[in-house]
């Protein structure tokens, strides 16, 4: 793994690999950088690196690499710059979406194509990955909602119900974990209005997409999610959201044939629209009220719990309670089924009065003034007119489009049941033909199916005799056709027995009066005993069922455990067998490869020995042929190359000429503009004044510079003269001291008797030397001394005769008088006057 201390170097290396087509290696380089320690602290170049990284992941369909990189980047920048992570995530989703759409466009929306399927699968994995990374993080909840909405639109557009269910399940699990782990860091707070609104908007979008895809079970679970959210924070939805909530419930309940709760949902919508929608028109109010009344009339007049077991009754009760909670109704326990709907319709003032006239007439026909013989003449026309009343609510756009025709089949079934009920009260038998004429909606076969359902749920008691062509009706009490005659005969027989045992006398009368109370008490005790026995039997049944369920659960757990152990043992055995077979296969492959290599090397050696010369001859012949071909190609291509070169020169020359002409025109135009501008400026009086002023200032500046230069030159000349004079003086002193030293040496060699000069102490010589050295150090290094008399000849007048020992004052300069005269001969300037001018 390459280590890059500078992230930009890693990006540069990745770009180089991409340019040569090695995208896999480029992705590996960036992945190693992102998962390294240096990437844990966020920097600005990291964002550019992540953009390139997600592009490579999308191009190569590497979802796992993308997930690892996004998790690392989230950890590095969620405390510093969350916006950067949001931008990278949105870029990742956008790239995956674009790739999937491009694949669909190329295949003309052929979703079954393999490439399209792969891209759609990758896009689905992208949404799932992002949702898992962003789950339960308060700083990323807006991005979580954005991703969920994008995923819902994707499922809706391409009709992906399976993936939609899985995403809904993922989001549901995330919400459960949010409530389960309340001490989690950065946990979203659902009590905050913004957070709650984001979660609710996401669930409502989920509900809309589920209903549009026809996934009614998932839509119902989405409604449960919304209700759970509101129960969690103990708040009520806004009226606009409640309208959407109940409108979707109407669709769900109608599709699931829960007409009772469908009517309740419509009643809630009516209340919301009437109380909160100030712009609701009278026509829309009539449509909503008509939907409420027809939905209530569509409820079946009998329940489905007749003859059910205790377990089924408990399930039905729990289901009804859940439905009632979802539609926020506190139902009275004494009302059941259709009677409850009618009660709420009458209690809710204004529902029936707001409906259309046809709906009002139908309600009165079915509930108050039902006549079975007038069903064809009165009820049928009303249903026909109602089926034509449809429309979109203009002042309530959030409500679904009202279709009153959907209630017509249920209303026809209800009218048929009421007709059968009324006929059973009026007739004991009726011809099938006559009954068919009374029902204008269905054939008798359909009427028979409806009657079978009603008899099953103890709503009617009737028999159909197709042989005789009659329909026989009966009562539902104890005096039904099956029990009336046997019970009458039994009662008469028992009376005869009592008369035989106890003759008609006062004693018998008294005995009968004594027995009657005891008989009533006995019957009451027997009835209570039977009820207690029935209760005990029910409890025993429930206990047996519970024990049976526990035993089945334990047996299932034991089987699962045994199956798991068996599977683990089988997996270990299979793994060992696979490992053994793999080793044997590797050994066999190694042996076969070695044998093949040995045979190949032997055959190659033999072939080289046999065909060596032939190969050389062929190679020489081939080389010669290649030479001829190459020479021929070059000879043929040389004129073409030359012609192309000449043509290229002509084109380049023409291009240069055109470019030069274009540039010349542009320069000429700019020069003309400049000339016009300068001419306009030169022609003005202010320019002349300005020009004179500038000339005057420049002349003054020139004079000042000349004056300063002359003063500077004079000063430099003066300093240079003084320096030269000082240097010359020092040279003369050095020469004099040197000659004095030479004369002293010569005197010492001649001896004391031969010396005629006066003795000079050493301290004076040392003083002279010190003066010379100090002067030399003060005025810089000395000029080089040239050998020869001409070059070193002093410019003093007394030295022109070549006598180095003579100085001004003659030969008496060694005596005391001479030294005194020399010291008192005047200032140094008199001596300096003998210097030559520089």
């Amino acid at each position: 793994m390459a280590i890059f201390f500078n992230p930009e170097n890693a990006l540069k290396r990745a770009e180089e690999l991409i340019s040569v087509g090695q995208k896999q290696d480029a992705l590996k380089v960036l992945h190693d950088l992102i998962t390294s320690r240096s990437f844990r602290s966020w920097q600005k170049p990291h964002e550019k690196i992540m953009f390139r990284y997600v592009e490579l992941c999308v191009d190569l369909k590497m979802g796992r690499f993308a997930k690892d990189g996004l998790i690392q980047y989230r950890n590095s920048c969620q405390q510093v710059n969350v916006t950067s992570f949001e931008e990278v995530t949105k870029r990742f989703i956008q790239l995956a979406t674009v790739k999937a759409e491009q694949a669909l466009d190329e295949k003309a929306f052929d979703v079954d194509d393999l490439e399209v399927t792969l891209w759609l699968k990758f896009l689905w994995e992208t949404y799932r990955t992002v949702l898992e990374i962003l789950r339960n993080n308060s700083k990323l909840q807006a991005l979580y909602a954005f991703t969920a909405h994008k995923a819902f639109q994707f499922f809706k557009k391409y009709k992906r119900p399976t993936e939609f269910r899985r995403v809904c399940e993922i989001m549901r699990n995330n919400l459960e974990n949010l409530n389960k782990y309340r001490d989690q860091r950065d946990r979203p707070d659902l009590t905050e209005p913004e957070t709650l609104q984001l979660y609710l908007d996401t669930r409502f979008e989920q509900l809309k997409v589920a209903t549009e895809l026809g996934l009614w079970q998932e839509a119902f679970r989405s409604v449960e999610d919304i209700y759970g959210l509101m129960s969690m924070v103990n708040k009520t939805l806004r009226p606009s959201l409640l309208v959407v909530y109940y409108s979707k419930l109407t669709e769900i309940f109608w599709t699931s044939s829960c007409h009772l709760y469908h009517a309740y949902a419509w009643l809630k919508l009516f209340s919301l629209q009437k109380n909160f929608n100030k712009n609701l028109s009278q026509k829309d109010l009539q449509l909503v009220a008509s939907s409420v009344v027809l939905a209530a009339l569509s409820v079946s007049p009998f329940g489905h719990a007749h003859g059910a077991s205790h377990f089924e009754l408990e399930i039905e009760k729990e289901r009804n309670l859940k439905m009632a909670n979802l539609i926020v109704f506190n139902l009275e326990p004494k009302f059941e089924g259709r009677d409850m709907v009618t009660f709420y319709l009458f209690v809710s003032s204004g529902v029936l009065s707001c409906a259309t006239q046809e709906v009002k007439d139908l309600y009165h026909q079915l509930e108050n003034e039902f006549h079975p013989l007038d069903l064809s003449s009165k009820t049928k026309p009303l249903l026909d007119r109602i089926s034509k009343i449809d429309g979109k609510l203009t002042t309530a756009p959030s409500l679904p489009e009202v279709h009153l025709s959907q209630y017509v089949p249920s209303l026809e079934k209800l009218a048929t049941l009421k007709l059968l009920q009324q006929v059973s009260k009026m007739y004991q038998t009726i011809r099938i033909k006559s009954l068919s004429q009374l029902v204008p909606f269905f054939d008798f076969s359909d009427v028979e199916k409806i009657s079978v359902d009603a008899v099953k749920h103890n709503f009617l008691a009737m028999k159909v005799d197709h042989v005789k062509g009659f329909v026989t009706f009966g009562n539902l009490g104890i005096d039904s056709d099956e029990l009336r005659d046997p019970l009458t005969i039994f009662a008469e027989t028992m009376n005869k027995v009592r008369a035989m045992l106890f003759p008609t006398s006062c004693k018998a009368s008294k005995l009968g009066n004594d027995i009657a109370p005891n008989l009533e008490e006995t019957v009451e005790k027997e009835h209570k005993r039977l009820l207690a026995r029935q209760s005990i039997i029910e409890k025993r049944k429930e206990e047996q069922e519970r024990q049976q369920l526990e035993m089945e659960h334990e047996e299932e757990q034991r089987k699962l455990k045994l199956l798991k152990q068996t599977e683990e043992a089988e997996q270990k055995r299979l793994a060992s067998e696979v490992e053994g077979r793999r080793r044997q296969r590797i050994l066999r492959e190694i042996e076969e490869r070695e044998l093949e290599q040995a045979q190949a090397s032997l055959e190659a050696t033999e072939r080289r020995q046999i065909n060596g010369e032939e190969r050389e001859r062929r190679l020489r012949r081939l080389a010669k042929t290649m030479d001829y071909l190459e020479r021929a190609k070059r000879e043929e291509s040389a004129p073409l190359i030359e012609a192309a070169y000449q043509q290229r020169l002509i084109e380049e020359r023409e291009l240069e000429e055109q470019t030069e002409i274009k540039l010349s025109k542009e320069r000429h135009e700019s020069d003309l503009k400049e000339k016009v501008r300068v001419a306009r400026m030169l022609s003005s009086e202010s320019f002349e004044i300005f020009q004179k002023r500038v000339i005057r200032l420049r002349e003054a500046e020139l004079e000042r510079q000349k004056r300063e230069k002359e003063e500077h030159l004079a000063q430099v000349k003066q300093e240079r003269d003084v320096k030269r004079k000082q240097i010359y003086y020092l040279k003369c002193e050095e020469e004099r001291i040197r000659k004095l030293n030479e004369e002293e040496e010569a005197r010492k060699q001649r001896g004391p008797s031969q010396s005629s000069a006066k003795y000079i102490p050493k301290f004076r010589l040392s003083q002279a030397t010190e003066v010379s050295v100090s002067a030399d150090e003060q005025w810089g290094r000395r000029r080089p001394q040239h050998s020869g008399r001409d070059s070193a000849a002093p410019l003093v007048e007394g030295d022109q005769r070549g006598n180095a020992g003579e100085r001004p004052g003659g030969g008496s300069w060694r005596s005391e008088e001479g030294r005194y005269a020399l010291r008192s001969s005047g200032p140094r300037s008199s001596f300096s006057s003998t210097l030559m001018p520089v």
Side-chain angles (χ1 to χ4, degrees):
M1 181 180 75
I3 299 176
F4 295 94
F5 296 99
N6 190 356
E8 296 179 352
N9 293 339
L11 181 60
K12 184 178 179 181
R13 176 59 179 165
E15 294 291 348
E16 293 174 354
L17 292 172
I18 293 171
S19 63
V20 296
Q22 298 180 3
K23 292 186 178 182
Q24 291 279 359
D25 297 337
L27 181 62
K28 186 66 170 59
V29 170
L30 294 181
H31 183 266
D32 293 340
L33 173 67
I34 292 170
T35 55
S36 63
R37 291 179 177 269
S38 61
F39 207 79
R40 293 182 180 177
S41 58
W42 185 84
Q43 299 176 13
K44 183 61 177 177
H46 291 177
E47 183 176 355
K48 188 176 181 181
I49 292 172
M50 285 301 301
F51 280 137
R52 196 56 172 164
Y53 180 76
V54 296
E55 289 177 4
L56 289 174
C57 291
V58 172
D59 291 339
L60 300 174
K61 299 188 187 71
M62 292 292 186
R64 184 179 61 84
F65 278 81
K67 183 177 181 179
D68 295 342
L70 289 175
I71 290 174
Q72 293 292 333
Y73 195 59
R74 180 199 63 186
N75 296 335
S76 65
C77 67
Q78 67 176 349
Q79 302 296 336
V80 181
N81 190 359
V82 182
T83 307
S84 177
F85 177 74
E86 293 179 355
E87 294 296 330
V88 171
T89 306
K90 290 181 180 178
R91 179 64 175 168
F92 178 48
I93 297 173
Q94 179 186 4
L95 290 173
T97 306
V98 169
K99 287 291 185 180
E101 291 178 352
Q102 288 178 356
L104 283 168
D105 293 339
E106 292 175 358
K107 301 299 180 181
F109 286 91
D110 185 8
V111 183
D112 296 330
D113 186 77
L114 179 59
E115 183 179 357
V116 174
T117 304
L118 290 176
W119 276 114
L120 290 177
K121 182 179 179 181
F122 178 76
L123 183 56
W124 143 244
E125 291 178 353
T126 299
Y127 287 125
R128 183 179 62 182
T129 298
V130 174
L131 289 175
E132 289 179 357
I133 294 173
L134 304 178
R135 59 189 172 91
N136 300 341
N137 195 319
S138 59
K139 297 180 179 179
L140 302 172
Q141 55 188 355
L143 184 59
Y144 182 86
F146 169 79
T147 306
H149 283 265
K150 293 286 288 184
F152 292 154
Q153 295 303 320
F154 161 71
F155 302 140
K156 174 184 173 183
K157 182 177 180 181
Y158 299 111
K159 308 296 181 184
R160 312 291 292 186
T162 305
E163 290 84 352
F164 176 76
R165 290 194 196 95
R166 294 176 66 183
V167 164
C168 294
E169 190 65 29
I170 289 172
M171 296 175 63
R172 199 169 289 115
N173 293 334
N174 293 339
L175 185 60
E176 291 178 359
N177 293 332
L178 178 64
N179 298 325
K180 185 177 180 181
Y181 304 104
R182 296 183 177 273
D183 56 346
Q184 186 179 4
R185 182 182 178 185
D186 296 331
R187 174 183 174 272
D189 188 7
L190 293 178
T191 59
E192 295 181 358
E194 296 180 357
T195 304
L196 180 62
Q197 189 62 38
L198 285 173
Y199 274 81
L200 286 176
D201 291 343
T202 304
R203 264 58 185 187
F204 271 101
E205 184 67 22
Q206 174 182 332
L207 176 60
K208 293 177 183 178
V209 175
T211 54
E212 291 179 4
L213 291 176
L215 303 175
W216 301 108
Q217 185 176 3
E218 193 60 42
F220 183 75
R221 297 184 70 182
S222 302
V223 171
E224 289 182 333
D225 294 342
I226 295 172
Y227 180 77
L229 276 174
M230 301 313 301
S231 302
M232 221 181 292
V233 297
N234 197 15
K235 290 185 179 180
T236 306
L237 291 172
R238 299 197 309 269
S240 59
L241 293 179
L242 282 174
V243 169
V244 178
Y245 179 79
Y246 286 115
S247 63
K248 296 301 179 183
L249 276 178
T250 57
E251 298 179 17
I252 295 171
F253 288 145
W254 182 257
T255 305
S256 59
S257 299
C258 297
H259 295 171
L260 176 64
Y261 303 107
H262 172 76
Y264 285 145
W266 264 116
L267 185 59
K268 276 289 187 179
L269 285 175
F270 174 79
S271 302
L272 288 170
Q273 291 297 321
K274 188 175 180 181
N275 296 329
F276 295 100
N277 193 352
K278 305 300 182 183
N279 301 323
L280 188 66
S281 63
Q282 185 64 27
K283 181 180 178 181
D284 292 343
L285 183 62
Q286 286 183 352
L287 286 175
V288 176
S290 301
S291 298
V292 176
V293 176
L294 294 181
L297 292 176
S298 300
V299 179
S300 178
F302 50 83
H304 296 276
H306 180 75
S309 64
H310 178 74
F311 184 69
E312 292 176 348
L313 289 175
E314 290 295 329
I315 292 177
E316 184 68 20
K317 182 179 179 181
E318 183 179 356
R319 178 174 175 270
N320 292 335
L321 182 61
K322 183 187 295 185
M323 297 292 184
N325 290 332
L326 289 178
I327 56 179
V328 196
F329 260 97
N330 297 322
L331 303 179
E332 296 291 337
K334 61 182 180 179
F335 294 109
E336 294 182 357
R338 199 165 181 278
D339 295 334
M340 188 165 20
V341 181
T342 308
F343 168 76
Y344 272 107
L345 283 175
F346 283 114
V347 170
S348 302
S349 59
V351 178
L352 188 61
S353 61
C354 295
T356 59
Q357 189 61 39
E358 294 84 357
V359 174
K360 293 179 184 178
D361 296 341
L362 180 65
Y363 178 78
H364 289 296
Q365 286 289 332
L366 294 178
E367 294 294 330
N368 300 329
E369 302 174 356
F370 186 80
H371 299 287
L373 301 179
D374 298 335
L375 184 66
S376 177
S377 60
K378 293 183 178 181
T379 307
K380 184 70 166 57
L382 289 176
L383 290 177
D384 292 339
R385 289 200 300 271
I386 288 173
S387 62
K388 298 177 182 179
I389 301 176
D390 293 328
K392 179 68 178 176
L393 301 179
T394 57
T395 57
S398 55
L399 289 180
E401 188 174 355
V402 176
H403 296 285
L404 299 183
S405 58
Q406 66 180 352
Y407 301 108
V408 171
S410 299
L411 294 174
E412 292 175 349
K413 182 180 178 181
L414 173 67
T416 304
L417 287 172
K418 280 188 167 293
L419 184 143
L420 292 174
Q421 188 182 33
Q422 294 291 337
V423 169
S424 66
K425 294 178 180 178
M426 297 170 58
Y427 302 99
Q428 286 187 347
T429 59
I430 189 173
R431 291 181 179 276
I432 293 177
K433 184 177 181 181
S434 301
L435 184 61
S436 301
Q437 292 176 355
L438 292 176
V439 182
F441 313 117
F442 307 106
D443 296 334
F444 186 76
S445 59
D446 298 328
V447 175
E448 191 174 4
K449 292 178 182 177
I450 295 173
S451 62
V452 167
D453 196 18
V455 170
K456 177 182 178 182
H457 293 91
N458 204 21
F459 183 75
L460 290 174
M462 59 179 292
K463 291 182 180 179
V464 180
D465 191 348
H466 289 278
V467 176
K468 297 179 180 180
F470 284 94
V471 176
T472 305
F473 297 99
N475 295 325
L476 297 177
I478 195 169
D479 294 332
S480 61
D481 293 337
E482 293 84 358
L483 299 177
R484 184 185 303 168
D485 295 337
L487 287 176
T488 303
I489 296 171
F490 179 74
E492 292 176 354
T493 305
M494 292 301 294
N495 286 329
K496 291 179 181 180
V497 170
R498 187 173 66 86
M500 291 173 64
L501 292 175
F502 306 102
T504 56
S505 61
C506 296
K507 183 177 179 181
S509 177
K510 185 178 179 181
L511 182 62
N513 292 333
D514 294 335
I515 291 174
N518 295 332
L519 181 62
E520 184 178 359
E521 183 179 356
T522 303
V523 170
E524 184 69 22
K525 289 181 180 180
E526 185 68 18
H527 179 64
K528 290 181 179 179
R529 188 183 65 82
L530 291 175
L531 291 177
R533 182 172 179 273
Q534 184 180 2
S535 176
I536 293 172
I537 291 172
E538 289 292 334
K539 290 182 179 179
R540 287 179 179 176
K541 286 182 179 180
E542 292 178 359
E543 183 66 22
Q544 289 179 357
E545 291 178 358
R546 186 182 62 79
Q547 292 178 358
Q548 184 69 23
L549 289 175
E550 290 181 356
M551 292 175 62
E552 290 178 357
H553 181 68
E554 291 177 357
E555 183 67 21
E556 184 178 358
Q557 293 293 331
R558 187 182 63 80
K559 289 181 179 180
L560 289 175
K561 186 175 180 181
L562 181 61
L563 180 62
K564 185 177 180 181
Q565 293 177 356
T566 306
E567 289 179 353
E568 291 178 354
E570 184 67 19
Q571 289 178 358
K572 290 181 180 179
R573 185 183 64 80
L574 291 175
S576 62
E577 290 180 358
V578 169
E579 184 67 21
R581 287 195 297 270
R582 187 178 67 83
R583 291 179 180 176
Q584 293 177 2
R585 179 176 56 80
I586 292 173
L587 293 174
R588 187 169 58 253
E589 289 179 355
I590 291 173
E591 293 177 355
E592 292 177 355
R593 191 180 300 112
E594 290 178 351
L595 181 60
E596 290 176 356
Q597 290 177 356
Q599 292 178 353
S601 60
L602 181 60
E603 292 176 357
T605 304
E606 292 177 353
R607 284 195 300 271
R608 282 197 300 271
Q609 292 177 355
I610 295 172
N611 301 326
E613 295 180 357
E614 182 66 26
R615 188 183 301 108
E616 290 180 0
R617 286 195 301 270
R618 290 179 180 176
L619 288 174
R620 285 195 297 270
R621 187 166 56 253
L622 180 61
K624 190 173 181 180
T625 305
M626 293 298 294
D627 290 340
Y628 289 155
L629 290 175
E630 185 66 25
R631 188 181 300 110
K633 285 194 296 183
R634 292 189 179 184
E635 289 177 356
E636 292 295 330
S637 60
L640 300 177
I641 294 173
E642 181 64 25
Y645 174 71
Q646 296 298 331
Q647 182 66 26
R648 180 67 178 272
L649 289 177
I650 294 171
E651 292 176 357
E652 290 181 354
R653 192 178 300 109
E654 291 178 355
L655 182 61
E656 289 177 358
E657 290 177 357
Q658 292 176 1
T659 306
E660 185 64 28
I661 291 171
K662 184 178 179 181
L663 293 175
S664 299
K665 289 181 179 179
E666 293 177 355
R667 285 197 297 269
H668 180 65
E669 291 176 357
S670 62
D671 292 343
L672 288 177
K673 292 179 181 179
E674 185 69 19
K675 180 181 178 182
V676 172
R677 187 181 67 83
V678 173
R680 186 173 63 253
M681 184 177 63
L682 291 175
S683 61
S684 61
E685 295 179 358
S686 59
F687 175 74
E688 294 179 359
I689 297 171
F690 175 74
Q691 184 177 13
K692 291 178 182 180
R693 181 183 174 187
V694 171
I695 291 172
R696 186 171 62 255
L697 292 175
R698 288 183 177 179
E699 288 177 352
E701 180 67 20
L702 181 60
E703 291 296 332
R704 186 185 63 78
Q705 290 180 359
K706 285 182 179 180
R707 189 166 54 255
E708 289 179 355
K709 184 175 181 181
E710 290 176 357
E711 292 176 356
H712 178 69
L713 289 176
Q715 184 179 359
V716 170
K717 184 177 180 181
Q718 184 179 359
E719 291 177 356
R720 186 174 57 189
D721 291 343
V722 172
K723 186 175 180 180
R724 284 183 179 180
K725 290 178 182 179
Q726 291 174 353
I727 292 171
Y728 177 72
Y729 174 74
L730 291 175
K731 287 181 66 178
C732 292
E733 285 296 321
E734 289 176 0
E735 184 67 21
R736 184 179 63 80
I737 292 170
R738 184 181 61 78
K739 289 182 178 182
L740 287 175
N741 290 333
E742 289 178 357
E743 290 179 356
E744 182 66 23
E745 290 294 332
R747 186 183 62 79
K748 287 180 180 180
Q749 289 178 3
R750 288 194 305 267
S753 59
Q754 296 178 0
S755 178
S756 60
K758 191 176 179 180
Y759 171 73
I760 300 176
K762 290 184 179 180
F763 71 91
R764 294 195 179 275
L765 293 174
S766 62
Q767 289 178 357
T769 306
E770 289 176 0
V771 170
S772 174
V773 172
S774 61
D776 185 42
E777 292 176 354
Q778 182 179 1
W779 299 104
R781 63 184 181 86
R782 295 173 298 176
R783 293 185 181 180
Q785 297 180 0
H786 301 282
S787 61
R789 183 178 298 272
D790 297 333
S791 60
L795 299 178
V796 186
E797 295 178 356
D799 292 341
Q800 292 179 0
R801 296 186 300 271
N803 189 3
E806 294 182 355
R807 289 290 185 272
S812 62
W813 67 278
R814 293 183 184 271
S815 61
E816 292 292 338
E817 294 82 4
R819 287 198 299 272
Y820 179 77
L822 182 60
R823 286 196 301 268
S824 61
S825 59
R828 183 172 297 177
S829 60
S830 61
F831 178 76
S832 301
S833 60
T834 61
L835 295 174
M836 294 180 65
V838 179

